[in-house]
Amino acid sequence: MKNYFMYASLAFMLLGCNPPKTKEEKKILTYTPITAVPMPTTLVSGQKFPTDSTTINNWIKKSTVVKNLETNTNIITHGWDIWDALTAFTNQDNNGQKLRRFETWYTPGDIKTALKAQQKNSSFKLEDINRSHTGHLVIPHQNIHGDQVKSVDIIGFVKCNPISAAHIYNNQLYYFEVLKSMIKPGKIANIPAFPASTVLIKPVFQVLTDTVTVKIAPGKYRLPTWPGYHNQIPMDSVIAHGFGPESWKNDITITTTGTTDAANKVFSINEFIHFKLNKEQAEELKGTNFVTGGTPKAGQYAVLVGMHVNTRENRRWTWQTFWWSENPTAPQSPSSSIIANKQPARLDIAAKHYAMSVAYNMISPAQPYTGGTNAITINEPIKESIYAFNPYLEAGFNAATFDVAPKPNHKNQSNSGGNDSIKKYYSEGYQKIGAFRKSEKIYVGGKLNKVGIETNCMSCHGQARLYNVAQIKDAFQYYITDQYTALDAPYYKNTVVLDFAWSIQGNLIYRDSINK
């Protein structure tokens, strides 16, 4: 928000003194500051929010997984409950469009702006921010890491509901120095746990730019859409290259001026959750390395293609992810007709067009917080992966994303690579997960998950932690495929565990002004 302080100061002067406004001043003040709208206390199904953790854990105990997908109706209903709340329209608008609840929430950029303002004014509050648009768009971390080719330019932001934003702000969790001070040598340290009513989301968008790979004709734009995997290409190819949008061969046309013609794979912009970029958002994207070669401009549409959603209603959070589907009543795996049939009837036409994948545990049968295993045992003869990935975010991950070790940047990190999906980050002797790697029997039901279409949100986010590194640039992320990991795993020692919130590690700033 490079122009934030200029705008905020001008707004304060004009509102306080109320002098006649010039044309230029009126132009600057055309926006209405956005107010963050909290989650409803009662969800569309009648269930309370936050739902009691005992209730959710009882659902998890009764979870039934078929073909790697959740079928428990309580879990599925809860996922749709949250989607209904997120996408509900508020009484606010911005840039000429009605805002949905999730669009009113804070981004990490907002919170960091508030933290910096607090350094100059100790009484500054998070809600004192005058937010002129819905968020600062960046390329997601998933699409920066890994050896993957992308034929779409996905941009987005993390959004924090008011209670989670306040938790980060009040505990100063984006300050590198604060997190480092929590580390206890030889022990597992944890940040203060987020409140039960916390919701963190990652919405991602495709901008309908004028580049030849996106624009087909005036008012018509190309979008690759998820066809499902179903052995469309050999698994050897997925292991080598991933299964990202460049491999889908299933494009639809978005029309911004016409109407839907589903039989010919043409869909109105109104069947997407979308917004128009404003000048500031477009300006901030200049210089971004887009695959298509173009730079988004003010006034162009950004259509929501996917969204990760997690809530802190139990200790390991709830996990659901959504993506735009050409056929939302019969979506491809990792969703299903069973999941689609539980969509709330009151969703608007755009919100109805999204498929959902949901996983409230890492693997099936459900494993405990500690002491569980991936191995086949006498009491649990079958272990099955629960897949919950977003096609636009994780499907492009190939085996190299998980196999190839980075250069070591602290004494406890191995530089060994290999054919094990966890070898990149769980090195021998220090980061191995109990006895999980003694033989192939330690993998989920004896199967080794290797690629992005074999991932699970909980397994991956459970690795969120910060080592005692020298500076922010030395911090790194630990992506893993679907597998069980215990909350007391030995590799958490000498780190501060981030309560499943990778967005904290990804948004660190220095409190010490010397390092800014």
Side-chain angles (χ1 to χ4, degrees):
M1 274 190 173
K2 54 191 172 186
N3 294 324
Y4 162 70
F5 287 106
M6 179 185 76
Y7 291 175
S9 300
L10 180 58
F12 179 81
M13 179 184 73
L14 294 175
L15 293 173
C17 304
N18 199 30
K21 299 180 179 67
T22 66
K23 287 183 179 180
E24 187 60 29
E25 288 168 343
K26 286 180 180 179
K27 183 178 179 182
I28 290 174
L29 296 172
T30 53
Y31 72 88
T32 301
I34 299 170
T35 301
V37 178
M39 284 286 285
T41 55
T42 302
L43 302 169
V44 62
S45 70
Q47 189 68 246
K48 297 296 182 185
F49 184 84
T51 297
D52 181 74
S53 62
T54 301
T55 298
I56 291 178
N57 286 325
N58 282 334
W59 297 343
I60 294 170
K61 288 177 183 176
K62 298 174 183 177
S63 165
T64 304
V65 175
V66 178
K67 294 182 178 179
N68 305 112
L69 303 180
E70 183 64 72
T71 65
N72 182 283
T73 56
N74 289 311
I75 292 175
I76 293 169
T77 298
H78 195 62
W80 284 123
D81 272 351
I82 296 167
W83 179 248
D84 172 83
L86 292 176
T87 59
F89 286 105
T90 68
N91 60 2
Q92 301 178 60
D93 34 53
N94 182 263
N95 204 19
Q97 283 186 271
K98 210 75 168 167
L99 291 180
R100 298 174 188 267
R101 177 179 272 107
F102 82 86
E103 293 178 299
T104 71
W105 290 356
Y106 297 99
T107 64
D110 297 326
I111 299 169
K112 288 187 281 190
T113 296
L115 286 169
K116 292 174 182 178
Q118 187 187 49
Q119 287 189 343
K120 299 175 181 179
N121 176 4
S122 60
S123 63
F124 191 91
K125 301 184 295 297
L126 180 63
E127 55 268 29
D128 290 338
I129 299 175
N130 280 330
R131 293 177 293 142
S132 63
H133 59 69
T134 56
H136 305 273
L137 296 156
V138 296
I139 296 176
H141 286 293
Q142 286 101 319
N143 285 19
I144 296 172
H145 297 286
D147 177 20
Q148 56 174 327
V149 178
K150 299 173 291 295
S151 59
V152 291
D153 288 319
I154 302 302
I155 53 177
F157 35 54
V158 170
K159 284 277 190 173
C160 311
N161 72 326
I163 193 76
S164 61
H167 182 75
I168 295 167
Y169 181 73
N170 294 335
N171 289 284
Q172 301 189 326
L173 296 180
Y174 283 163
Y175 281 136
F176 180 62
E177 298 91 339
V178 169
L179 291 190
K180 281 192 63 173
S181 71
M182 296 180 187
I183 296 173
K184 300 174 182 177
K187 297 182 179 180
I188 298 174
N190 291 273
I191 62 170
F194 280 92
S197 53
T198 288
V199 187
L200 298 177
I201 67 174
K202 178 183 279 187
V204 291
F205 304 84
Q206 167 70 46
V207 179
L208 305 186
T209 63
D210 293 333
T211 55
V212 294
T213 54
V214 178
K215 189 173 183 178
I216 301 169
K220 292 184 178 181
Y221 301 86
R222 166 189 171 271
L223 180 73
T225 56
W226 176 243
Y229 172 57
H230 302 305
N231 299 314
Q232 290 201 21
I233 60 176
M235 180 53 76
D236 286 349
S237 178
V238 177
I239 290 171
H241 307 293
F243 190 54
E246 73 287 347
S247 302
W248 295 350
K249 297 179 173 54
N250 187 52
D251 297 349
I252 60 102
T253 297
I254 301 174
T255 175
T256 59
T257 56
T259 57
T260 292
D261 179 6
N264 289 306
K265 301 173 79 73
V266 177
F267 295 88
S268 165
I269 187 69
N270 295 320
E271 297 199 40
F272 290 80
I273 293 174
H274 66 274
F275 69 94
K276 286 184 177 181
L277 297 181
N278 72 5
K279 259 187 190 179
E280 189 176 355
Q281 288 171 313
E283 185 69 24
E284 289 174 341
L285 289 169
K286 283 185 177 179
T288 303
N289 185 23
F290 286 112
V291 175
T292 58
T295 300
K297 300 174 183 176
Q300 291 178 333
Y301 288 97
V303 298
L304 182 75
V305 292
M307 184 191 295
H308 281 327
V309 178
N310 47 302
T311 74
R312 192 31 166 102
E313 294 172 280
N314 66 348
R315 188 177 176 189
R316 287 193 297 211
W317 300 63
T318 75
W319 303 91
Q320 35 274 306
T321 190
F322 303 85
W323 64 93
W324 194 88
S325 174
E326 184 178 351
N327 188 4
T329 60
Q332 304 283 3
S333 180
S335 190
S336 68
S337 295
I338 292 173
I339 294 173
N341 288 340
K342 293 296 179 182
Q343 263 198 3
R346 75 178 190 183
L347 291 174
D348 66 272
I349 186 173
K352 280 181 181 291
H353 242 295
Y354 291 79
M356 178 179 74
S357 184
V358 60
Y360 285 11
N361 202 45
M362 300 175 189
I363 64 174
S364 178
Q367 298 298 298
Y369 292 148
T370 60
T373 179
N374 288 309
I376 298 173
T377 65
I378 295 174
N379 295 328
E380 296 175 340
I382 299 175
K383 288 286 201 322
E384 186 171 4
S385 291
I386 306 175
Y387 295 145
F389 63 90
N390 195 294
Y392 289 94
L393 287 171
E394 287 84 33
F397 285 169
N398 58 22
T401 306
F402 306 98
D403 284 349
V404 181
K407 293 181 180 179
N409 53 16
H410 64 82
K411 64 181 180 181
N412 292 321
Q413 186 181 352
S414 168
N415 194 30
S416 61
N419 295 320
D420 183 333
S421 68
I422 61 177
K423 183 166 256 182
K424 177 175 180 179
Y425 295 121
Y426 300 115
S427 58
E428 294 287 352
Y430 179 71
Q431 293 174 337
K432 69 180 181 181
I433 306 173
F436 289 4
R437 300 182 56 215
K438 288 183 177 177
S439 73
E440 285 202 356
K441 290 182 180 178
I442 52 78
Y443 302 117
V444 186
K447 180 186 183 301
L448 172 60
N449 291 315
K450 296 181 179 180
V451 292
I453 60 174
E454 298 173 328
T455 53
N456 172 302
C457 304
M458 185 187 291
S459 295
C460 191
H461 276 260
Q463 312 315 308
R465 61 195 187 274
L466 181 73
Y467 282 88
N468 187 21
V469 293
Q471 48 192 331
I472 291 174
K473 71 176 184 178
D474 293 333
F476 40 85
Q477 293 182 319
Y478 299 91
Y479 296 120
I480 66 170
T481 51
D482 180 48
Q483 57 205 270
Y484 168 76
T485 61
L487 294 181
D488 63 350
Y491 53 80
Y492 289 128
K493 290 181 180 179
N494 304 308
T495 76
V496 56
V497 182
L498 304 178
D499 199 11
F500 289 81
W502 271 128
S503 57
I504 291 178
Q505 189 262 17
N507 286 286
L508 294 177
I509 56 175
Y510 293 111
R511 184 174 59 184
D512 181 358
S513 60
I514 295 174
N515 293 317
K516 285 182 181 178

